[in-house]
């Protein structure tokens, strides 16, 4: 009995820890989003617009994934149609962030390797088109999985109460394999894009001199951070495969692995955006500091 109570307490502590992290990240993201709208330069420049997209995407993903975590933990059942909506949002924005990071890497590549065409290729209009393309590609995995789900269930299933999770949409083994194949395809394409951009920028950085060399190496470090953040996001796509294998071995081990994956590959990548642009970008950092100081001064 004591062992059972300690296990429940341990799980409770973990859930509380997640709530603290989510609230902290949401507050930081909200501050950064407010900073984004303080200067016209930010919302007319491609890299800052894409940065704001990742902040909004991450914030929505944090809220929805945390909601799903709480529903699953307390075994709340909801109707299938509502679970489908939650899954659509989660699936869409799981892919929006890594695809946007890939686009930000390409923007850095254009800025450093093709500086004369940067204004043309990275205009506000092209940024809007880029965001639409990102949303379109992000919706493909969700559409594919839900299409196979709709073909496998009866009409009455949509009003049944279930504990919401992605596993309830997978009836056959081939559906899981298809989902895995799509995730790995996206993983491969984004990794190739990041690596090629990194190699090109490195060549330019070695060949540059003076201020150009400093700018190129700074861009190279930014791409490196993007690569690390993107790696964490992309490993998240492999988590369902690992969790499914662990579930066949031991259920308690499955709970531990799922919790670790959520902290490491869902929450952690979402806290790196503030580090990369909120603190490293000089112009954005000054605007952030000014907003924080003005807010403190008004409060006093």
């Amino acid at each position: 009995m004591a062992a059972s109570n300690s296990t429940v307490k341990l799980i409770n502590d973990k859930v509380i820890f997640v709530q603290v992290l989510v609230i902290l990240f949401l507050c930081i993201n909200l501050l950064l989003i407010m900073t984004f709208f303080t200067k016209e330069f930010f919302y007319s420049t491609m890299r800052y617009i894409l940065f704001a997209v990742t902040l909004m995407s991450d914030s929505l993903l944090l809220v929805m994934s945390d909601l799903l975590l709480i529903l699953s933990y307390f075994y709340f059942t909801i109707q299938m149609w509502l679970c489908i909506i939650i899954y659509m949002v989660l699936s869409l924005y799981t892919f929006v962030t890594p695809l946007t990071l890939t686009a930000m890497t390409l923007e850095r590549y254009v800025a450093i390797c093709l500086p004369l065409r940067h204004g043309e290729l990275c205009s506000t209009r092209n940024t809007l088109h880029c965001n639409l393309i990102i949303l379109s590609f992000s919706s493909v995995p969700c559409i594919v999985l839900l299409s196979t789900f709709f073909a496998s269930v009866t009409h009455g299933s949509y009003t049944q109460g279930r504990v919401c999770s992605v596993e309830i949409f997978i009836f056959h083994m081939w559906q899981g394999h298809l989902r895995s194949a799509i995730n790995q395809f996206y993983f491969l394409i984004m990794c190739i894009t990041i690596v090629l951009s990194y190699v090109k920028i490195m060549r330019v950085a070695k060949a540059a001199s003076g201020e150009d060399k400093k700018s190129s190496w700074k861009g190279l470090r930014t791409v490196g951070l993007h690569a690390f953040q993107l790696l964490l996001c992309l490993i998240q796509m492999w988590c369902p495969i690992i969790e499914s294998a662990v579930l066949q071995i031991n259920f308690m081990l499955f709970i531990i692995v799922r919790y670790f994956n959520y902290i490491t590959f869902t929450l952690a990548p979402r806290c790196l955006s503030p580090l990369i642009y909120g603190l490293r970008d000089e112009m954005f950092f000054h605007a952030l500091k000014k907003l924080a100081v003005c807010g403190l001064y008004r409060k006093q």
Side-chain angles (χ1 to χ4, degrees):
M1 188 61 142
S4 176
N5 290 336
S6 65
T7 302
V8 172
K9 183 179 183 302
L10 181 62
I11 295 175
N12 282 336
D13 292 342
K14 289 180 178 180
V15 172
I16 292 171
F17 178 63
V18 169
Q19 304 314 304
V20 172
L21 287 180
V22 169
I23 292 172
L24 176 63
F25 294 158
L26 285 176
C27 290
I28 294 173
N29 285 358
L30 179 61
L31 181 61
L32 293 173
I33 291 170
M34 290 171 60
T35 304
F36 170 76
F37 287 105
T38 57
K39 286 190 176 184
E40 183 180 353
F41 176 76
F42 292 149
Y43 49 86
S44 60
T45 305
M46 185 176 196
R47 70 176 182 272
Y48 294 113
I49 295 174
L50 293 175
F51 173 52
V53 169
T54 62
L55 289 175
M56 296 176 189
S57 169
D58 290 347
S59 299
L60 185 57
L61 183 67
L62 286 174
V63 171
M64 297 301 290
S65 63
D66 189 47
L67 173 63
L68 197 59
L69 173 71
I70 294 171
L71 291 175
S72 300
Y73 176 71
F74 290 105
Y75 293 99
F76 283 131
T77 59
I78 60 177
Q79 291 191 349
M80 184 67 78
W81 64 267
L82 183 56
C83 185
I84 291 173
I85 294 174
I86 293 175
Y87 169 73
M88 287 172 63
V89 174
L90 280 173
S91 176
L92 179 67
Y93 286 98
T94 295
F95 285 91
V96 164
T97 292
L99 285 171
T100 305
L101 288 171
T102 305
M104 293 170 77
T105 299
L106 290 174
E107 186 276 333
R108 287 294 81 200
Y109 164 75
V110 173
I112 293 169
C113 300
L114 303 169
L116 298 180
R117 300 197 61 193
H118 184 263
E120 173 193 349
L121 296 175
C122 300
S123 63
T124 306
R125 182 178 179 182
N126 286 342
T127 304
L128 176 61
H129 293 161
C130 180
N131 285 328
L132 292 176
I133 292 171
I134 288 171
L135 286 173
S136 299
F137 278 107
S138 299
S139 64
V140 171
C142 175
I143 292 172
V144 171
L145 183 60
L146 286 182
S147 297
T148 62
F149 168 74
F150 293 146
S152 304
V153 297
T154 60
H155 181 72
S157 301
Y158 302 120
T159 56
Q160 292 179 356
R162 300 286 296 275
V163 176
C164 189
S165 68
V166 67
E167 284 78 17
I168 66 176
F169 298 109
I170 299 176
F171 287 89
H172 308 288
M173 189 176 292
W174 65 266
Q175 290 174 302
H177 293 329
L178 178 62
R179 179 183 175 219
S180 173
I182 294 173
N183 288 350
Q184 291 180 40
F185 175 74
Y186 275 63
F187 179 93
L188 180 64
I189 295 299
M190 287 185 276
C191 281
I192 290 173
T193 304
I194 290 283
V195 170
L196 290 180
S197 299
Y198 191 88
V199 170
K200 292 282 187 180
I201 293 173
M202 183 180 288
R203 289 178 180 174
V204 172
K206 287 183 177 179
S209 59
E211 289 297 319
D212 289 339
K213 191 177 188 68
K214 182 179 178 181
S215 175
S216 298
W217 281 108
K218 184 178 179 181
L220 191 64
R221 287 194 297 271
T222 301
V223 172
L225 285 171
H226 282 329
F228 177 68
Q229 186 182 10
L230 186 62
L231 178 63
L232 294 178
C233 290
L234 294 177
I235 291 176
Q236 182 188 356
M237 299 178 185
W238 285 12
C239 289
I241 305 172
I242 300 171
E243 291 167 7
S244 298
V246 173
L247 182 59
Q248 304 298 322
I249 302 171
N250 186 283
F251 181 72
M252 287 306 299
L253 181 61
F254 165 75
I255 293 175
I256 294 171
V257 169
R258 172 164 279 192
Y259 177 80
F260 173 80
N261 288 342
Y262 180 70
I263 296 292
T264 309
F265 304 121
T266 299
L267 293 186
R270 271 72 196 177
C271 74
L272 289 178
S273 289
L275 172 64
I276 294 174
Y277 272 103
L279 300 179
R280 290 188 70 255
D281 188 278
E282 187 175 346
M283 184 176 295
F284 199 89
F285 177 71
H286 284 312
L288 176 63
K289 186 166 66 172
K290 184 178 179 181
L291 178 66
V293 170
C294 288
L296 183 63
Y297 176 76
R298 288 175 184 173
K299 187 176 180 180
Q300 290 176 344

